[in-house]
Amino acid sequence: MVTDPRIQVLFVDDEPGMLQAIQDYLSIVHSIGVDICNSGAEALTREDLFSFDCLIIDYEMPDIDGIVLLKEIRQMNTEIPIIIFTGKGYEDVAIEAINAGADFYIKKGGNPDELFTELAHYIRKGVRRYRAEQELVEKERRYRAVVEDMTEFVCRMDPEGLILFVNSVFAGNLQKPFETGNGVTFYSLYPEYEKEIADAIFLCDPDNPSTQIELPFMEKQGKTAWHQWVIRVIFDERFDIQEIQAVGRDISRQKELDRQETILKELGLSLATCSTLESALSFSLSAALGIGRFETGAVYLRDPGSEKLSLFLDEGPYRAALARVFEEFSRNEDGIILNTGEAVYMSMSDLYRYESRFTALAFIPIHRYNEITGWFALASENLIEVPVEIRNPLEGVVSQIGNVISRIEAEEALRDALLESEERYMQLSETSPDAIAILSGNSVVYLNPAAKSLFEVESPDGFFRQPFHDFLDTDLQDWFSGILRSKTGEKSPRAGEGFLKTKSGRQIYGELLTVPITHSGEEATLLLIRDKTSQRMQEQALIESERRFREMADLLPEPLFEADVGGKLTFCNRGVFGLLNKTNTSHENITMASQLVSSKEQLRFSTILKKLGNDLLPVAGDFIAAGNSVDSRIFHLSLAPIIRDGVFSGTRGILIDITENRRYQEKLQQMIEEKDILFRELHHRVKNNMQIVSSMLQLQEEYITDEVVLSALHDCEQRIDSMALVHETLYRTESLAGIPFGDYLENLAIAVTEGFATVRDIRTEIDVGNIRLSLDTAVTIGLIINELMVNSMKYAFVDRPSGLITIRLTCDDGGCIMRYSDDGVGLPPGFDIEKISSLGMRLVRILAKQIRGQLVIDSEQGAGMMCTVTFPKQAGDL
């Protein structure tokens, strides 16, 4: 546990008693270290004056007044907390002390405990503020030191892209004098790519706050530099952009190297398959023009008989002009330049005295067996000079021509006879993509072109001034020295890996193989070097990617783990340990993935793991976590197979704690069941109450002799029974969401038919399917059908032994249609539902309007009656 250091204060006062009392009280009661000083002069001479956390100064002292001492100290240090201790008038001293720079002031006298407690309070308050300010200053200093020491460009900007801060590397590389608040935006640095930058920032969100983008930057010299930026968007708690940070680096060199590498790889493939000198030179010339960004080029070869140079092939728009320039350089005193056998590069300043349209020229010799067999002539009217960084690649392209010529001639000669062993060896060595060198002792006596290119030397002579030993790093030097010291009889092929340095200091990671051979009759070492720099970088990138993955996985709040095919844990993020803490499970005992679940669930967990390994498909399930059984945790586990090289190699799982969700669902289900019981009881009571009303009407009928009144009461009973039947049907169904209308109509038809004691055979056909209606709709339609059936029973089947009543109900998205019909005598002529005075038919018309339905009644004398009610679906109708 980190604790704050003990507070140390200096008390300056000329009263020994006061000094001692305060020192004892603060030390014993408040654990504050107190050093004392008897005068202001003594305080000013102390070298450790500003090592204290707080100063307490008496206002009245004989040598130096407390306010004077305060002002002297404030001139030297404006931050240290200072408390004025005074016995004079409180308000006067307070104003004077505050104006002089005091943080607090305390008046002497009164209760000592209260005085000293107040003093301790002010000390702690001032020291907390002082230490916080010092810590903030130190953090800012460290942050700026780190940012300024970085080799990358660093800048911060507001949500609109206005640059708020840049480091010195940023200002230096982007060639702009940046100052905070000068109005420069990040977008203005790349004016043609504002949309791309804005789109990249727009796609960032709190889950994926960073993006990477590569942008071309136009430098003052007219050159284009490539910058790679990692932009990170910082969001506030409302997910609005609070600030944007960007870290960039110059990748122009890498871009150029990648471009050159692509050209050289394509050239290597082309040269490996070409079979004629013309095609080989054509491929090489095109590659040289592409690497150097020249417009025009030509290849001149020396005639073996006449020793004269003649044009073999050329390419580009200004071939005639280039031919004139080459001819001029080939004769008179200029021929001396080409006779040296070294590559010649000429800039605009070199060409001012020649009448030429070109501003940059390159003449690169074609060497074959240490002889100049030709020249590559390259020209540009756009370049001021041939850049240094492309000269080696250009010379590397041309250096292969001699090898290609040899290979082609060798292929032609192989059709007639075999070359001698030495020639075959040299051919293989010269065309090998791996660097090959022969060392006699520590001296290099042979290098193939790949080795020359690798070490950036023209010939083995380049090692005379710098021994081969110096091109190796420390580990390889020890390894190679051990090989050279070993006895001849003990020598055998040996392999090693390490870093090598080129002539320019560039580091290469290579695989080395040494083979003992005999060269020119002496013992020597054949050294084969394979450049594995790219592979090494990929391995390092893979390691870094793995590290980032682990860090990101640790930041996830959900538990995440990986296990091998046997279920043994190979990785756990912090979320797993957080889950184990919740369930009081020891971390040290967890080695298998199955131990994350309770013992009762482990068999099911193992079954799922086995299924995952067989099907290689993701699976999921809910499990009880291992640990505390009293307050067990439930989590949802998602498992996915880990497949490497097409083979199942393990399992990756993520756990989501659903304990609270499960408890909430159980509580919600309990509430639903309680409400279901209450609603069923309510509908039961309503049905009982309606039956009581119906029974009371039946009792009343026994005292009435008027047939009209009796009929009216009987109709009312029938209507009440119809509504009661709805409530009875509802509380007897499994779901209260709607009434199964078919069951209801069956019971209603039986009740109406039984209500009319008759010997006639009246049948009912009901077809409503599985339609469920809401309570309001069911009551209304039920009353309509009740009135229609009562009307049919009374009037439709008079003097008839039998009859048929048909009821159909259909519903779709457009609404519902209820069709009622009987095969009775039909309605009387001139029947009009709007003018009828019968209470039953009036109720039918009113009830149809109540559900916004359209009522249509058709009838023919002797052919029965049909009533159709078309109504829209109501809430709850299914």
mmCIF file of all heavy atoms in Angstrom, residues 638-679:
data_model
loop_
_atom_site.group_PDB
_atom_site.id
_atom_site.type_symbol
_atom_site.label_atom_id
_atom_site.label_comp_id
_atom_site.label_asym_id
_atom_site.label_seq_id
_atom_site.Cartn_x
_atom_site.Cartn_y
_atom_site.Cartn_z
ATOM 1 N N SER A 638 -20.019 -19.005 -24.402
ATOM 2 C CA SER A 638 -19.926 -19.198 -25.850
ATOM 3 C C SER A 638 -18.555 -19.779 -26.155
ATOM 4 O O SER A 638 -17.536 -19.228 -25.748
ATOM 5 C CB SER A 638 -20.108 -17.866 -26.586
ATOM 6 O OG SER A 638 -21.384 -17.323 -26.337
ATOM 7 N N LEU A 639 -18.539 -20.912 -26.862
ATOM 8 C CA LEU A 639 -17.300 -21.607 -27.187
ATOM 9 C C LEU A 639 -17.122 -21.653 -28.695
ATOM 10 O O LEU A 639 -18.091 -21.836 -29.440
ATOM 11 C CB LEU A 639 -17.321 -23.036 -26.636
ATOM 12 C CG LEU A 639 -17.343 -23.197 -25.100
ATOM 13 C CD1 LEU A 639 -17.533 -24.649 -24.739
ATOM 14 C CD2 LEU A 639 -16.066 -22.655 -24.496
ATOM 15 N N ALA A 640 -15.889 -21.487 -29.137
ATOM 16 C CA ALA A 640 -15.555 -21.562 -30.556
ATOM 17 C C ALA A 640 -14.275 -22.375 -30.704
ATOM 18 O O ALA A 640 -13.383 -22.303 -29.857
ATOM 19 C CB ALA A 640 -15.376 -20.169 -31.149
ATOM 20 N N PRO A 641 -14.171 -23.152 -31.781
ATOM 21 C CA PRO A 641 -12.950 -23.958 -31.977
ATOM 22 C C PRO A 641 -11.791 -23.100 -32.457
ATOM 23 O O PRO A 641 -11.982 -22.116 -33.178
ATOM 24 C CB PRO A 641 -13.374 -24.971 -33.047
ATOM 25 C CG PRO A 641 -14.437 -24.264 -33.826
ATOM 26 C CD PRO A 641 -15.164 -23.380 -32.841
ATOM 27 N N ILE A 642 -10.587 -23.466 -32.040
ATOM 28 C CA ILE A 642 -9.356 -22.850 -32.543
ATOM 29 C C ILE A 642 -8.776 -23.809 -33.577
ATOM 30 O O ILE A 642 -8.433 -24.947 -33.258
ATOM 31 C CB ILE A 642 -8.345 -22.592 -31.411
ATOM 32 C CG1 ILE A 642 -8.956 -21.664 -30.350
ATOM 33 C CG2 ILE A 642 -7.060 -21.988 -31.966
ATOM 34 C CD1 ILE A 642 -8.064 -21.462 -29.138
ATOM 35 N N ILE A 643 -8.711 -23.355 -34.814
ATOM 36 C CA ILE A 643 -8.240 -24.198 -35.906
ATOM 37 C C ILE A 643 -6.981 -23.578 -36.471
ATOM 38 O O ILE A 643 -6.993 -22.428 -36.921
ATOM 39 C CB ILE A 643 -9.323 -24.353 -36.988
ATOM 40 C CG1 ILE A 643 -10.598 -24.965 -36.375
ATOM 41 C CG2 ILE A 643 -8.809 -25.203 -38.142
ATOM 42 C CD1 ILE A 643 -11.752 -25.046 -37.328
ATOM 43 N N ARG A 644 -5.904 -24.330 -36.439
ATOM 44 C CA ARG A 644 -4.636 -23.869 -36.997
ATOM 45 C C ARG A 644 -4.174 -24.875 -38.046
ATOM 46 O O ARG A 644 -4.080 -26.070 -37.781
ATOM 47 C CB ARG A 644 -3.577 -23.717 -35.906
ATOM 48 C CG ARG A 644 -3.893 -22.598 -34.905
ATOM 49 C CD ARG A 644 -2.710 -22.337 -33.974
ATOM 50 N NE ARG A 644 -2.964 -21.188 -33.124
ATOM 51 C CZ ARG A 644 -3.474 -21.283 -31.900
ATOM 52 N NH1 ARG A 644 -3.777 -22.466 -31.409
ATOM 53 N NH2 ARG A 644 -3.663 -20.196 -31.168
ATOM 54 N N ASP A 645 -3.909 -24.350 -39.249
ATOM 55 C CA ASP A 645 -3.481 -25.191 -40.374
ATOM 56 C C ASP A 645 -4.489 -26.307 -40.634
ATOM 57 O O ASP A 645 -4.124 -27.448 -40.971
ATOM 58 C CB ASP A 645 -2.098 -25.793 -40.109
ATOM 59 C CG ASP A 645 -1.036 -24.721 -39.936
ATOM 60 O OD1 ASP A 645 -1.169 -23.673 -40.606
ATOM 61 O OD2 ASP A 645 -0.096 -24.918 -39.155
ATOM 62 N N GLY A 646 -5.776 -25.979 -40.470
ATOM 63 C CA GLY A 646 -6.814 -26.950 -40.754
ATOM 64 C C GLY A 646 -7.021 -28.009 -39.695
ATOM 65 O O GLY A 646 -7.798 -28.945 -39.899
ATOM 66 N N VAL A 647 -6.350 -27.891 -38.548
ATOM 67 C CA VAL A 647 -6.438 -28.914 -37.498
ATOM 68 C C VAL A 647 -6.984 -28.277 -36.224
ATOM 69 O O VAL A 647 -6.573 -27.166 -35.845
ATOM 70 C CB VAL A 647 -5.053 -29.545 -37.230
ATOM 71 C CG1 VAL A 647 -5.142 -30.574 -36.113
ATOM 72 C CG2 VAL A 647 -4.509 -30.190 -38.497
ATOM 73 N N PHE A 648 -7.916 -28.973 -35.577
ATOM 74 C CA PHE A 648 -8.465 -28.499 -34.308
ATOM 75 C C PHE A 648 -7.374 -28.526 -33.239
ATOM 76 O O PHE A 648 -6.781 -29.570 -32.966
ATOM 77 C CB PHE A 648 -9.643 -29.384 -33.897
ATOM 78 C CG PHE A 648 -10.198 -29.076 -32.531
ATOM 79 C CD1 PHE A 648 -10.856 -27.876 -32.292
ATOM 80 C CD2 PHE A 648 -10.070 -29.975 -31.485
ATOM 81 C CE1 PHE A 648 -11.371 -27.588 -31.041
ATOM 82 C CE2 PHE A 648 -10.578 -29.692 -30.240
ATOM 83 C CZ PHE A 648 -11.230 -28.490 -30.021
ATOM 84 N N SER A 649 -7.092 -27.356 -32.678
ATOM 85 C CA SER A 649 -5.981 -27.267 -31.723
ATOM 86 C C SER A 649 -6.399 -26.709 -30.372
ATOM 87 O O SER A 649 -5.539 -26.464 -29.536
ATOM 88 C CB SER A 649 -4.864 -26.393 -32.306
ATOM 89 O OG SER A 649 -5.339 -25.085 -32.575
ATOM 90 N N GLY A 650 -7.664 -26.487 -30.149
ATOM 91 C CA GLY A 650 -8.080 -25.986 -28.847
ATOM 92 C C GLY A 650 -9.427 -25.301 -28.898
ATOM 93 O O GLY A 650 -10.158 -25.363 -29.890
ATOM 94 N N THR A 651 -9.731 -24.640 -27.800
ATOM 95 C CA THR A 651 -11.036 -24.010 -27.624
ATOM 96 C C THR A 651 -10.839 -22.595 -27.110
ATOM 97 O O THR A 651 -9.963 -22.349 -26.284
ATOM 98 C CB THR A 651 -11.895 -24.798 -26.626
ATOM 99 O OG1 THR A 651 -11.964 -26.154 -27.038
ATOM 100 C CG2 THR A 651 -13.299 -24.227 -26.550
ATOM 101 N N ARG A 652 -11.671 -21.676 -27.603
ATOM 102 C CA ARG A 652 -11.680 -20.302 -27.105
ATOM 103 C C ARG A 652 -13.084 -20.016 -26.591
ATOM 104 O O ARG A 652 -14.078 -20.285 -27.273
ATOM 105 C CB ARG A 652 -11.309 -19.318 -28.213
ATOM 106 C CG ARG A 652 -11.252 -17.864 -27.759
ATOM 107 C CD ARG A 652 -10.811 -16.949 -28.899
ATOM 108 N NE ARG A 652 -9.431 -17.191 -29.253
ATOM 109 C CZ ARG A 652 -9.033 -17.638 -30.441
ATOM 110 N NH1 ARG A 652 -9.922 -17.885 -31.391
ATOM 111 N NH2 ARG A 652 -7.744 -17.833 -30.704
ATOM 112 N N GLY A 653 -13.178 -19.474 -25.383
ATOM 113 C CA GLY A 653 -14.490 -19.250 -24.784
ATOM 114 C C GLY A 653 -14.607 -17.879 -24.157
ATOM 115 O O GLY A 653 -13.624 -17.278 -23.726
ATOM 116 N N ILE A 654 -15.837 -17.362 -24.135
ATOM 117 C CA ILE A 654 -16.136 -16.094 -23.477
ATOM 118 C C ILE A 654 -17.354 -16.299 -22.581
ATOM 119 O O ILE A 654 -18.308 -16.977 -22.965
ATOM 120 C CB ILE A 654 -16.372 -14.971 -24.510
ATOM 121 C CG1 ILE A 654 -16.554 -13.619 -23.795
ATOM 122 C CG2 ILE A 654 -17.552 -15.259 -25.399
ATOM 123 C CD1 ILE A 654 -16.521 -12.441 -24.730
ATOM 124 N N LEU A 655 -17.307 -15.733 -21.374
ATOM 125 C CA LEU A 655 -18.355 -15.909 -20.385
ATOM 126 C C LEU A 655 -19.018 -14.574 -20.101
ATOM 127 O O LEU A 655 -18.339 -13.559 -19.946
ATOM 128 C CB LEU A 655 -17.792 -16.479 -19.076
ATOM 129 C CG LEU A 655 -17.109 -17.866 -19.132
ATOM 130 C CD1 LEU A 655 -15.651 -17.694 -19.490
ATOM 131 C CD2 LEU A 655 -17.240 -18.572 -17.800
ATOM 132 N N ILE A 656 -20.338 -14.584 -20.021
ATOM 133 C CA ILE A 656 -21.110 -13.381 -19.715
ATOM 134 C C ILE A 656 -21.981 -13.688 -18.499
ATOM 135 O O ILE A 656 -22.790 -14.626 -18.522
ATOM 136 C CB ILE A 656 -21.981 -12.950 -20.915
ATOM 137 C CG1 ILE A 656 -21.099 -12.667 -22.139
ATOM 138 C CG2 ILE A 656 -22.821 -11.731 -20.559
ATOM 139 C CD1 ILE A 656 -21.874 -12.337 -23.385
ATOM 140 N N ASP A 657 -21.812 -12.922 -17.441
ATOM 141 C CA ASP A 657 -22.562 -13.125 -16.202
ATOM 142 C C ASP A 657 -24.011 -12.711 -16.417
ATOM 143 O O ASP A 657 -24.304 -11.550 -16.702
ATOM 144 C CB ASP A 657 -21.928 -12.298 -15.079
ATOM 145 C CG ASP A 657 -22.483 -12.688 -13.709
ATOM 146 O OD1 ASP A 657 -23.558 -13.308 -13.659
ATOM 147 O OD2 ASP A 657 -21.827 -12.371 -12.701
ATOM 148 N N ILE A 658 -24.928 -13.667 -16.341
ATOM 149 C CA ILE A 658 -26.357 -13.396 -16.544
ATOM 150 C C ILE A 658 -27.148 -13.642 -15.261
ATOM 151 O O ILE A 658 -28.360 -13.859 -15.316
ATOM 152 C CB ILE A 658 -26.917 -14.250 -17.696
ATOM 153 C CG1 ILE A 658 -26.768 -15.745 -17.386
ATOM 154 C CG2 ILE A 658 -26.242 -13.913 -19.006
ATOM 155 C CD1 ILE A 658 -27.490 -16.657 -18.373
ATOM 156 N N THR A 659 -26.447 -13.641 -14.117
ATOM 157 C CA THR A 659 -27.126 -13.952 -12.855
ATOM 158 C C THR A 659 -28.272 -12.982 -12.588
ATOM 159 O O THR A 659 -29.405 -13.402 -12.302
ATOM 160 C CB THR A 659 -26.105 -13.900 -11.697
ATOM 161 O OG1 THR A 659 -25.001 -14.751 -12.004
ATOM 162 C CG2 THR A 659 -26.750 -14.348 -10.408
ATOM 163 N N GLU A 660 -27.972 -11.692 -12.703
ATOM 164 C CA GLU A 660 -29.008 -10.694 -12.400
ATOM 165 C C GLU A 660 -30.145 -10.771 -13.404
ATOM 166 O O GLU A 660 -31.317 -10.617 -13.042
ATOM 167 C CB GLU A 660 -28.390 -9.292 -12.388
ATOM 168 C CG GLU A 660 -27.284 -9.100 -11.359
ATOM 169 C CD GLU A 660 -27.762 -9.446 -9.952
ATOM 170 O OE1 GLU A 660 -28.941 -9.191 -9.645
ATOM 171 O OE2 GLU A 660 -26.954 -9.989 -9.165
ATOM 172 N N ASN A 661 -29.840 -11.001 -14.689
ATOM 173 C CA ASN A 661 -30.893 -11.131 -15.697
ATOM 174 C C ASN A 661 -31.787 -12.331 -15.390
ATOM 175 O O ASN A 661 -33.019 -12.258 -15.514
ATOM 176 C CB ASN A 661 -30.286 -11.292 -17.090
ATOM 177 C CG ASN A 661 -29.661 -10.020 -17.590
ATOM 178 O OD1 ASN A 661 -29.923 -8.961 -17.040
ATOM 179 N ND2 ASN A 661 -28.852 -10.094 -18.635
ATOM 180 N N ARG A 662 -31.161 -13.442 -14.995
ATOM 181 C CA ARG A 662 -31.943 -14.642 -14.698
ATOM 182 C C ARG A 662 -32.849 -14.408 -13.488
ATOM 183 O O ARG A 662 -34.026 -14.805 -13.488
ATOM 184 C CB ARG A 662 -30.970 -15.800 -14.442
ATOM 185 C CG ARG A 662 -31.651 -17.123 -14.158
ATOM 186 C CD ARG A 662 -32.415 -17.636 -15.379
ATOM 187 N NE ARG A 662 -31.528 -17.908 -16.478
ATOM 188 C CZ ARG A 662 -30.881 -19.068 -16.629
ATOM 189 N NH1 ARG A 662 -31.049 -20.034 -15.752
ATOM 190 N NH2 ARG A 662 -30.105 -19.253 -17.676
ATOM 191 N N ARG A 663 -32.308 -13.742 -12.452
ATOM 192 C CA ARG A 663 -33.131 -13.451 -11.268
ATOM 193 C C ARG A 663 -34.281 -12.515 -11.615
ATOM 194 O O ARG A 663 -35.403 -12.674 -11.137
ATOM 195 C CB ARG A 663 -32.255 -12.841 -10.183
ATOM 196 C CG ARG A 663 -31.241 -13.828 -9.592
ATOM 197 C CD ARG A 663 -30.271 -13.155 -8.642
ATOM 198 N NE ARG A 663 -29.327 -14.126 -8.079
ATOM 199 C CZ ARG A 663 -28.291 -13.793 -7.330
ATOM 200 N NH1 ARG A 663 -28.078 -12.514 -7.020
ATOM 201 N NH2 ARG A 663 -27.467 -14.723 -6.875
ATOM 202 N N TYR A 664 -33.994 -11.545 -12.496
ATOM 203 C CA TYR A 664 -35.056 -10.618 -12.891
ATOM 204 C C TYR A 664 -36.145 -11.348 -13.677
ATOM 205 O O TYR A 664 -37.342 -11.099 -13.485
ATOM 206 C CB TYR A 664 -34.452 -9.498 -13.729
ATOM 207 C CG TYR A 664 -35.478 -8.509 -14.257
ATOM 208 C CD1 TYR A 664 -36.047 -7.551 -13.425
ATOM 209 C CD2 TYR A 664 -35.886 -8.564 -15.588
ATOM 210 C CE1 TYR A 664 -37.004 -6.670 -13.906
ATOM 211 C CE2 TYR A 664 -36.831 -7.686 -16.076
ATOM 212 C CZ TYR A 664 -37.387 -6.736 -15.234
ATOM 213 O OH TYR A 664 -38.313 -5.867 -15.719
ATOM 214 N N GLN A 665 -35.742 -12.282 -14.558
ATOM 215 C CA GLN A 665 -36.721 -13.028 -15.336
ATOM 216 C C GLN A 665 -37.587 -13.885 -14.430
ATOM 217 O O GLN A 665 -38.814 -13.985 -14.637
ATOM 218 C CB GLN A 665 -35.996 -13.904 -16.355
ATOM 219 C CG GLN A 665 -35.333 -13.119 -17.476
ATOM 220 C CD GLN A 665 -34.526 -14.017 -18.403
ATOM 221 O OE1 GLN A 665 -34.432 -15.223 -18.178
ATOM 222 N NE2 GLN A 665 -33.948 -13.418 -19.440
ATOM 223 N N GLU A 666 -36.963 -14.513 -13.429
ATOM 224 C CA GLU A 666 -37.749 -15.338 -12.507
ATOM 225 C C GLU A 666 -38.750 -14.483 -11.736
ATOM 226 O O GLU A 666 -39.907 -14.877 -11.542
ATOM 227 C CB GLU A 666 -36.814 -16.061 -11.544
ATOM 228 C CG GLU A 666 -35.944 -17.109 -12.226
ATOM 229 C CD GLU A 666 -34.922 -17.714 -11.282
ATOM 230 O OE1 GLU A 666 -34.838 -17.222 -10.126
ATOM 231 O OE2 GLU A 666 -34.216 -18.660 -11.679
ATOM 232 N N LYS A 667 -38.291 -13.301 -11.303
ATOM 233 C CA LYS A 667 -39.194 -12.402 -10.570
ATOM 234 C C LYS A 667 -40.329 -11.930 -11.479
ATOM 235 O O LYS A 667 -41.492 -11.847 -11.064
ATOM 236 C CB LYS A 667 -38.390 -11.214 -10.047
ATOM 237 C CG LYS A 667 -39.210 -10.252 -9.202
ATOM 238 C CD LYS A 667 -38.332 -9.135 -8.643
ATOM 239 C CE LYS A 667 -39.158 -8.184 -7.780
ATOM 240 N NZ LYS A 667 -38.317 -7.076 -7.237
ATOM 241 N N LEU A 668 -39.999 -11.644 -12.731
ATOM 242 C CA LEU A 668 -41.011 -11.181 -13.683
ATOM 243 C C LEU A 668 -42.031 -12.286 -13.955
ATOM 244 O O LEU A 668 -43.243 -12.020 -14.029
ATOM 245 C CB LEU A 668 -40.321 -10.753 -14.978
ATOM 246 C CG LEU A 668 -41.207 -10.117 -16.047
ATOM 247 C CD1 LEU A 668 -41.833 -8.834 -15.530
ATOM 248 C CD2 LEU A 668 -40.408 -9.849 -17.315
ATOM 249 N N GLN A 669 -41.532 -13.544 -14.101
ATOM 250 C CA GLN A 669 -42.451 -14.656 -14.336
ATOM 251 C C GLN A 669 -43.390 -14.856 -13.147
ATOM 252 O O GLN A 669 -44.585 -15.127 -13.320
ATOM 253 C CB GLN A 669 -41.633 -15.936 -14.592
ATOM 254 C CG GLN A 669 -42.465 -17.156 -14.909
ATOM 255 C CD GLN A 669 -43.273 -16.988 -16.191
ATOM 256 O OE1 GLN A 669 -42.820 -16.334 -17.118
ATOM 257 N NE2 GLN A 669 -44.479 -17.557 -16.215
ATOM 258 N N GLN A 670 -42.863 -14.690 -11.937
ATOM 259 C CA GLN A 670 -43.701 -14.820 -10.740
ATOM 260 C C GLN A 670 -44.794 -13.750 -10.725
ATOM 261 O O GLN A 670 -45.951 -14.023 -10.398
ATOM 262 C CB GLN A 670 -42.819 -14.732 -9.497
ATOM 263 C CG GLN A 670 -43.593 -14.890 -8.196
ATOM 264 C CD GLN A 670 -42.686 -14.763 -6.981
ATOM 265 O OE1 GLN A 670 -41.479 -14.565 -7.123
ATOM 266 N NE2 GLN A 670 -43.257 -14.846 -5.800
ATOM 267 N N MET A 671 -44.416 -12.501 -11.102
ATOM 268 C CA MET A 671 -45.402 -11.417 -11.131
ATOM 269 C C MET A 671 -46.483 -11.699 -12.180
ATOM 270 O O MET A 671 -47.672 -11.435 -11.955
ATOM 271 C CB MET A 671 -44.694 -10.098 -11.437
ATOM 272 C CG MET A 671 -43.748 -9.634 -10.338
ATOM 273 S SD MET A 671 -42.776 -8.193 -10.827
ATOM 274 C CE MET A 671 -44.086 -6.995 -11.057
ATOM 275 N N ILE A 672 -46.061 -12.249 -13.333
ATOM 276 C CA ILE A 672 -47.043 -12.555 -14.383
ATOM 277 C C ILE A 672 -48.021 -13.622 -13.900
ATOM 278 O O ILE A 672 -49.241 -13.531 -14.131
ATOM 279 C CB ILE A 672 -46.305 -13.004 -15.658
ATOM 280 C CG1 ILE A 672 -45.531 -11.824 -16.257
ATOM 281 C CG2 ILE A 672 -47.283 -13.562 -16.686
ATOM 282 C CD1 ILE A 672 -44.654 -12.199 -17.425
ATOM 283 N N GLU A 673 -47.482 -14.652 -13.244
ATOM 284 C CA GLU A 673 -48.372 -15.710 -12.740
ATOM 285 C C GLU A 673 -49.344 -15.167 -11.699
ATOM 286 O O GLU A 673 -50.526 -15.547 -11.682
ATOM 287 C CB GLU A 673 -47.526 -16.839 -12.147
ATOM 288 C CG GLU A 673 -46.716 -17.595 -13.190
ATOM 289 C CD GLU A 673 -45.798 -18.630 -12.574
ATOM 290 O OE1 GLU A 673 -45.754 -18.690 -11.316
ATOM 291 O OE2 GLU A 673 -45.136 -19.368 -13.321
ATOM 292 N N GLU A 674 -48.860 -14.270 -10.817
ATOM 293 C CA GLU A 674 -49.755 -13.677 -9.813
ATOM 294 C C GLU A 674 -50.859 -12.860 -10.470
ATOM 295 O O GLU A 674 -52.028 -12.929 -10.083
ATOM 296 C CB GLU A 674 -48.934 -12.814 -8.862
ATOM 297 C CG GLU A 674 -47.988 -13.608 -7.966
ATOM 298 C CD GLU A 674 -47.118 -12.703 -7.119
ATOM 299 O OE1 GLU A 674 -47.196 -11.471 -7.318
ATOM 300 O OE2 GLU A 674 -46.364 -13.214 -6.264
ATOM 301 N N LYS A 675 -50.487 -12.077 -11.507
ATOM 302 C CA LYS A 675 -51.501 -11.268 -12.205
ATOM 303 C C LYS A 675 -52.498 -12.167 -12.936
ATOM 304 O O LYS A 675 -53.692 -11.865 -13.015
ATOM 305 C CB LYS A 675 -50.817 -10.321 -13.179
ATOM 306 C CG LYS A 675 -50.053 -9.197 -12.499
ATOM 307 C CD LYS A 675 -49.445 -8.253 -13.520
ATOM 308 C CE LYS A 675 -48.703 -7.103 -12.820
ATOM 309 N NZ LYS A 675 -48.096 -6.173 -13.795
ATOM 310 N N ASP A 676 -51.970 -13.286 -13.517
ATOM 311 C CA ASP A 676 -52.859 -14.228 -14.216
ATOM 312 C C ASP A 676 -53.905 -14.771 -13.255
ATOM 313 O O ASP A 676 -55.101 -14.837 -13.593
ATOM 314 C CB ASP A 676 -52.004 -15.368 -14.789
ATOM 315 C CG ASP A 676 -52.789 -16.207 -15.772
ATOM 316 O OD1 ASP A 676 -53.775 -16.820 -15.343
ATOM 317 O OD2 ASP A 676 -52.433 -16.236 -16.964
ATOM 318 N N ILE A 677 -53.482 -15.134 -12.050
ATOM 319 C CA ILE A 677 -54.422 -15.657 -11.050
ATOM 320 C C ILE A 677 -55.458 -14.597 -10.667
ATOM 321 O O ILE A 677 -56.656 -14.862 -10.562
ATOM 322 C CB ILE A 677 -53.655 -16.148 -9.812
ATOM 323 C CG1 ILE A 677 -52.796 -17.356 -10.186
ATOM 324 C CG2 ILE A 677 -54.605 -16.489 -8.683
ATOM 325 C CD1 ILE A 677 -51.853 -17.796 -9.075
ATOM 326 N N LEU A 678 -54.974 -13.354 -10.481
ATOM 327 C CA LEU A 678 -55.887 -12.267 -10.111
ATOM 328 C C LEU A 678 -56.929 -12.022 -11.199
ATOM 329 O O LEU A 678 -58.120 -11.842 -10.921
ATOM 330 C CB LEU A 678 -55.096 -10.997 -9.830
ATOM 331 C CG LEU A 678 -54.230 -10.990 -8.561
ATOM 332 C CD1 LEU A 678 -53.402 -9.712 -8.496
ATOM 333 C CD2 LEU A 678 -55.116 -11.108 -7.332
ATOM 334 N N PHE A 679 -56.484 -12.016 -12.488
ATOM 335 C CA PHE A 679 -57.435 -11.762 -13.575
ATOM 336 C C PHE A 679 -58.431 -12.900 -13.702
ATOM 337 O O PHE A 679 -59.637 -12.678 -13.970
ATOM 338 C CB PHE A 679 -56.676 -11.577 -14.892
ATOM 339 C CG PHE A 679 -56.199 -10.178 -15.105
ATOM 340 C CD1 PHE A 679 -54.858 -9.879 -15.115
ATOM 341 C CD2 PHE A 679 -57.119 -9.146 -15.272
ATOM 342 C CE1 PHE A 679 -54.416 -8.587 -15.303
ATOM 343 C CE2 PHE A 679 -56.674 -7.845 -15.468
ATOM 344 C CZ PHE A 679 -55.318 -7.555 -15.478
#
